[in-house]
Amino acid sequence: MTMAAEDVSRFERSRGRLEAIAYRMLGSAGEAEDAVQETFLRWQAADLTRIEVPEAWLTKVLTNLCLNQLASARARRETYFGQWLPEPLLDGDPMLGPADTAEQRESVSYAVLTLMERLSPNERAVYVLREAFDYAHREIAEILEISESSSQQLFRRAKQHLADGRARTHVDEAVARRIVEEFLAAATSGRTESIVRLLTADAISVGDGGGKVAARTTAVEGGLAVARFLRAWFKPTDAKRLYVGGAAEVYAWAVNSEPALVVVVNGEVIGVMCLEVTADGVTAVRTQANPDKLARATELFAASDHGEPLTTIL
């Protein structure tokens, strides 16, 4: 069935918001795009004369698709090779969605997207809709077909699960770049103590290679252990250069509202290292190296004015 141009336009006006919701729900840009496309197909097949509030209808359909996807994703995570991390989005990617408030920026941060894996699907849905998109609990209850009090309870529970006892520090672009520059200088100095000074005592390092590239299958824990690991990771060798296919350029970037290093070889993003920063220092280093999760980052990098790299390694 061919849709009227106005009905297609009505959907397209909601596409950006739907993609931003789906990305926060699923942690994957590719899966978010698929969920939004399936929502469009259902919009296309629906009797639109009976839909009073298109935005609410589309959000409900999308959310339920994401809930179904999350249920199956849990089984896939159990068989995933090594550590699973979300797909990183470079600053400027429209799928990041609204970033006007601290809550909106926090809800799409790499740290929170990673922590959201511990939430139940309903907790995640309520948290995303309430925290990032300011839906009222009455609206969320209608979308999930639960009571308003249940929505409020799920939200409180999600907030508790995501709380880790640390007060995260939001940093602007200039401060983020300074943090990244200091971190990179320490990591490439070859001196463990220089890195340790920037890390918290309980810092962790997690990498996701997805079984496609070399990455530790367990997290590195403790500031000293992380510093030693990073010193070795950044140490240039002929073997590493051969493995990645050339010299690697390192750029400073904001990724999912966190300061990050973006590693590029021959125009292709091969790694994104997100730094979780607190008032006490860098408390987590999360590195996405799975090529399946870096294609979108490569596209945005190529289309942007990325300037000169901070350094070239490997």
Side-chain angles (χ1 to χ4, degrees):
M1 180 187 299
T2 302
M3 295 193 76
E6 175 56 26
D7 292 330
V8 174
S9 295
R10 288 164 72 190
F11 180 86
E12 290 303 325
R13 287 194 291 270
S14 294
R15 182 180 289 275
R17 178 179 58 83
L18 295 174
E19 287 187 345
I21 291 173
Y23 172 69
R24 284 169 165 83
M25 287 278 290
L26 302 173
S28 164
E31 291 179 4
E33 289 176 333
D34 290 344
V36 172
Q37 184 59 26
E38 179 60 29
T39 302
F40 174 72
L41 294 177
R42 298 194 181 193
W43 169 257
Q44 191 176 39
D47 181 357
L48 301 186
T49 63
R50 302 182 62 182
I51 298 176
E52 297 180 2
V53 185
E55 179 182 297
W57 188 92
L58 291 169
T59 303
K60 182 181 179 70
V61 170
L62 175 80
T63 301
N64 282 301
L65 287 170
C66 289
L67 289 174
N68 291 337
Q69 183 76 3
L70 284 172
S72 62
R74 290 202 162 197
R76 294 198 307 274
R77 301 279 198 273
E78 291 176 0
T79 59
Y80 191 82
F81 187 86
Q83 301 287 314
W84 183 94
L85 289 174
E87 180 176 349
L89 296 184
L90 274 58
D91 187 40
D93 193 315
M95 196 175 282
L96 288 169
D100 298 326
T101 67
E103 290 78 14
Q104 289 171 336
R105 292 188 293 270
E106 177 85 349
S107 71
V108 80
S109 72
Y110 209 63
V112 168
L113 283 181
T114 302
L115 290 172
M116 276 203 279
E117 287 297 299
R118 66 177 64 173
L119 303 182
S120 71
N122 272 6
E123 287 172 345
R124 189 161 183 163
V126 171
Y127 177 81
V128 167
L129 293 173
R130 178 66 181 158
E131 194 81 341
F133 296 91
D134 202 28
Y135 278 79
H137 283 292
R138 173 185 54 78
E139 297 172 302
I140 297 172
E142 291 174 357
I143 290 170
L144 297 180
E145 297 182 354
I146 59 177
S147 68
E148 189 171 343
S149 61
S150 293
S151 176
Q152 293 168 339
Q153 184 178 36
L154 285 166
F155 182 67
R156 286 194 298 270
R157 194 181 303 158
K159 295 277 282 188
Q160 290 170 356
H161 286 320
L162 294 177
D164 59 5
R166 298 188 181 97
R168 293 187 180 86
T169 303
H170 173 67
V171 295
D172 60 26
E173 184 177 348
V175 174
R177 184 177 179 86
R178 178 178 58 77
I179 291 170
V180 168
E181 289 175 347
E182 291 180 0
F183 181 85
L184 181 61
T188 55
S189 69
R191 297 189 298 274
T192 301
E193 61 274 14
S194 298
I195 311 174
V196 169
R197 282 197 293 268
L198 298 178
L199 302 171
T200 60
D202 59 349
I204 63 168
S205 175
V206 182
D208 178 353
K212 305 293 180 67
V213 300
R216 279 182 60 105
T217 57
T218 58
V220 181
E221 300 181 359
L224 181 58
V226 170
R228 288 171 174 165
F229 173 75
L230 291 172
R231 182 191 63 189
W233 195 93
F234 279 97
K235 183 178 180 180
T237 66
D238 291 337
K240 289 179 184 176
R241 190 176 296 109
L242 181 64
Y243 181 76
V244 302
E249 298 176 331
V250 183
Y251 295 82
W253 216 292
V255 174
N256 289 80
S257 295
E258 292 181 345
L261 298 172
V262 176
V263 185
V264 180
V265 174
N266 299 323
E268 179 181 356
V269 176
I270 66 162
V272 173
M273 182 176 284
C274 293
L275 309 180
E276 183 182 352
V277 180
T278 69
D280 298 322
V282 177
T283 194
V285 180
R286 298 181 176 91
T287 304
Q288 182 56 260
N290 184 344
D292 293 343
K293 299 181 183 181
L294 294 173
R296 189 178 178 96
T298 294
E299 290 178 7
L300 193 144
F301 175 84
S304 67
D305 180 14
H306 44 260
E308 296 297 320
L310 295 178
T311 189
T312 300
I313 60 173
L314 306 182

